[in-house]
Amino acid sequence: MVRIREPHEWPSTVDEAQAVQERLRPSVRFAEPPEVRSAAGLDVAYRGSDELVAAVAVLDVASLSVVDSVVVRGVAEFPYVPGLFAFREAPPLLTALERLSVEPDVLVCDGQGLAHPRRFGLACHLGVLTDLPSIGVGKTALGSYDPPGEQRGEWTPLRLDDEVVGRALRTQRGVKPVFVSVGHRFTLDTACDLVLRLAPRYRLPETTRAADHLSRTAPTRP
């Protein structure tokens, strides 16, 4: 159901991959998204060094129930290089998105958006290629931050090279924050509001939890 609007050839070297990021980065847009009624969680699990399982789970934001899901098994075609994870994970995730029966209103990536050395993490990459609103919700910080207050909803800026690239957001009292950054066609305020809606009980958004469950429990390749 999701259409790839800005396809490109997938590079095989680090220099080529960085050139793709630099070329696509100006396409990132910041805007208030349309009404978000459905949100897709995206996650990739590895079985060994290169075999992977990419999962997309689309949730109804009001009920947090899963309305569609796709699992794709494959082999990573790009080496493990910090800052270039999209070139391992985006191809199977895009295949999964194309196989959905519905088009989600937003992509919620288990990773980074602008919080990236070239300001073009996985959430930006997938957002630009599909032209869908997208955000990154990372489990670990790429950058520096002061711990936010202990109450749910409190946050502090996430900085990289003295630039604010996202927020450390406390989704539950007394648990570690998550790290939210814009991917495409979103604002940081709205992204944090959405993450809190998607995380009523646990640290991670239900979108991420659903996709993670799918990727980890999918049967092994025959």
Side-chain angles (χ1 to χ4, degrees):
M1 184 72 174
V2 174
R3 185 160 60 91
I4 311 307
R5 302 173 187 273
E6 293 287 343
H8 64 74
E9 293 186 5
W10 292 100
S12 58
T13 70
V14 169
D15 287 345
E16 290 172 349
Q18 291 178 346
V20 169
Q21 291 177 329
E22 296 290 354
R23 177 170 59 83
L24 293 180
R25 180 176 60 186
S27 298
V28 172
R29 290 188 285 129
F30 306 96
E32 288 292 341
E35 181 183 2
V36 176
R37 293 167 293 185
S38 62
L42 295 86
D43 185 64
V44 175
Y46 289 88
R47 308 279 176 85
S49 60
D50 291 321
E51 186 178 352
L52 54 79
V53 179
V56 176
V58 182
L59 274 62
D60 174 80
V61 172
S63 65
L64 298 181
S65 59
V66 176
V67 298
D68 196 10
S69 64
V70 174
V71 171
V72 171
R73 297 167 187 81
V75 175
E77 301 291 342
F78 195 85
Y80 184 89
V81 180
L84 299 177
F85 294 151
F87 296 93
R88 289 173 65 86
E89 300 187 352
L93 287 171
L94 288 168
T95 299
L97 287 168
E98 290 179 303
R99 294 179 184 176
L100 290 173
S101 61
V102 298
E103 182 175 281
D105 295 319
V106 59
L107 308 180
V108 181
C109 299
D110 179 27
Q112 313 296 339
L114 292 179
H116 180 272
R118 282 170 293 283
R119 308 302 185 263
F120 200 76
L122 177 65
C124 297
H125 208 138
L126 292 175
V128 167
L129 293 188
T130 62
D131 199 33
L132 288 176
S134 62
I135 64 174
V137 184
K139 302 182 188 74
T140 58
L142 187 58
S144 61
Y145 69 98
D146 294 323
E150 289 297 318
Q151 297 299 322
R152 169 177 160 86
E154 295 195 72
W155 59 268
T156 55
L158 176 67
R159 291 183 170 86
L160 188 62
D161 303 324
D162 295 325
E163 178 184 355
V164 174
V165 294
R167 288 178 184 171
L169 175 67
R170 191 84 66 185
T171 53
Q172 299 297 327
R173 177 180 171 83
V175 301
K176 295 178 181 179
V178 296
F179 302 95
V180 181
S181 56
V182 171
H184 182 58
R185 294 179 58 196
F186 240 84
T187 66
L188 192 51
D189 282 341
T190 306
C192 289
D193 289 344
L194 176 63
V195 170
L196 289 172
R197 291 175 64 191
L198 294 173
R201 296 180 60 191
Y202 301 103
R203 178 193 179 214
L204 297 177
E206 290 300 310
T207 41
T208 300
R209 286 166 47 82
D212 176 77
H213 179 75
L214 280 173
S215 66
R216 293 182 183 279
T217 59
T220 57
R221 185 189 296 269

